[in-house]
Amino acid sequence: MPKQDEVKNELFPLLLEASALTFGTYTLKSGRVSPYFFTSSLLHTSALLASVARAYATVLTSPPFSIPSAVSDTTDCAVAQGHEPTYDILFGPAYKGIPISAIVTRELEHSGAPYSNVSYAFNRKEAKDHGEGGIIVGAPLKDKRVVIIDDVMTAGTALREAVSIIQAQGGIVVGVVLLLTRQERVSETESRSAMQVAQDELGVPVRAVLTFEDIMDAVERGDIKGAGPEQFEQMRVYREKYGSKDFEERTAGQATR
């Protein structure tokens, strides 16, 4: 089983136990009535943080965020796998992105020497005019390759703000990694998902650890306690109504293989 599938299977039970992922009837800010709800605010135990960090790390140590390494020291696990990062800094937008960027940076150290110099940074909501000053805490962003780390993306407003901050500091945004993408269209007039819109606008890879599709598959397999055929059907109906164009194209492509 691929490593990314392993960490997803490890993460689902913990999300359910912490009620970070729940099933029911939820009215979202958009007005849509969703059959499930996800909140990263409840990801605060050591076990959950460790699992979340490992999940992000599997994405960040795989293409397109890692490239083949020319080094061949097989005593190092990451080099033995032949990859090194295409980024220098993980940036966590305030506030939810702050702890995530820190724990994922720490987790990357376990991936081997090529990842040991990856740093993290985050923004203050208000610039500090004393002490070290400024709006950025952590690694300086100037001339550095930056991957933005966050939990979810709704309209993409927070992401655009983060990109503006990084660019104002002289940093270069090279990618975005989210914890979850809902894979639903932005609006009635925009059939792409917020994640796809961001990728198209920024011209950099935007990926997610977990997807709506992952949740559906886990429910269908019976891997999620308390979610069965009824919940699967509700999610199928929700997908039919709100599924994004890129989600539909992806699933159609998989069906023809």
Side-chain angles (χ1 to χ4, degrees):
M1 181 183 291
K3 188 177 179 182
Q4 289 189 24
D5 287 343
E6 291 177 357
V7 297
K8 288 176 185 179
N9 290 340
E10 171 192 294
L11 188 54
F12 272 129
L14 295 173
L15 294 176
L16 292 164
E17 184 179 345
S19 296
L21 174 64
T22 54
F23 295 87
T25 301
Y26 306 93
T27 301
L28 306 178
K29 187 182 294 185
S30 63
R32 297 173 181 174
V33 179
S34 172
Y36 76 103
F37 188 72
F38 176 81
T39 175
S40 65
S41 300
L42 298 175
L43 305 179
H44 50 67
T45 68
S46 58
L48 265 170
L49 290 173
S51 185
V52 165
R54 283 192 293 272
Y56 272 101
T58 62
V59 176
L60 288 161
T61 54
S62 302
F65 299 105
S66 292
I67 59 175
S69 172
V71 184
S72 58
D73 180 3
T74 56
T75 62
D76 183 279
C77 71
V79 175
Q81 293 170 2
H83 289 86
E84 59 185 25
T86 60
Y87 51 90
D88 306 301
I89 296 172
L90 301 182
F91 181 86
Y95 290 104
K96 290 183 179 179
I98 295 174
I100 297 174
S101 64
I103 62 170
V104 177
T105 301
R106 175 65 185 91
E107 180 64 27
L108 285 175
E109 193 269 339
H110 298 300
S111 297
Y115 298 89
S116 61
N117 289 322
V118 173
S119 300
Y120 80 95
F122 61 88
N123 64 294
R124 293 187 174 96
K125 284 293 188 179
E126 296 181 2
K128 187 177 179 182
D129 58 4
H130 60 282
E132 74 277 17
I135 195 172
I136 300 298
V137 179
L141 303 179
K142 185 174 176 57
D143 297 327
K144 297 298 183 179
R145 301 167 299 173
V146 182
V147 170
I148 299 172
I149 301 291
D150 213 345
D151 57 346
V152 296
M153 186 190 305
T154 306
T157 305
L159 175 62
R160 292 184 185 92
E161 180 182 356
V163 170
S164 296
I165 291 171
I166 293 166
Q167 291 177 340
Q169 296 291 319
I172 306 159
V173 177
V174 297
V176 181
V177 180
L178 306 170
L179 183 54
L180 174 72
T181 174
R182 295 180 63 91
Q183 293 181 297
E184 57 188 70
R185 61 173 59 95
V186 172
S187 66
E188 292 304 315
T189 57
E190 175 52 79
S191 61
R192 295 173 296 172
S193 66
M195 194 171 89
Q196 187 64 48
V197 170
Q199 180 165 278
D200 293 343
E201 289 182 353
L202 295 175
V204 299
V206 181
R207 301 289 186 269
V209 172
L210 297 174
T211 68
F212 179 88
E213 184 180 3
D214 290 328
I215 299 174
M216 281 194 70
D217 288 346
V219 172
E220 186 176 27
R221 292 193 307 266
D223 292 345
I224 296 186
K225 184 178 180 181
E230 180 182 351
Q231 285 71 32
F232 179 81
E233 178 61 17
Q234 290 171 348
M235 295 187 78
R236 187 194 65 77
V237 171
Y238 189 81
R239 180 186 64 188
E240 290 293 322
K241 189 172 184 179
Y242 298 117
S244 62
K245 178 182 178 182
D246 41 288
F247 178 34
E248 292 169 354
E249 290 174 346
R250 176 181 172 182
T251 52
Q254 291 174 338
T256 57
R257 293 196 188 110

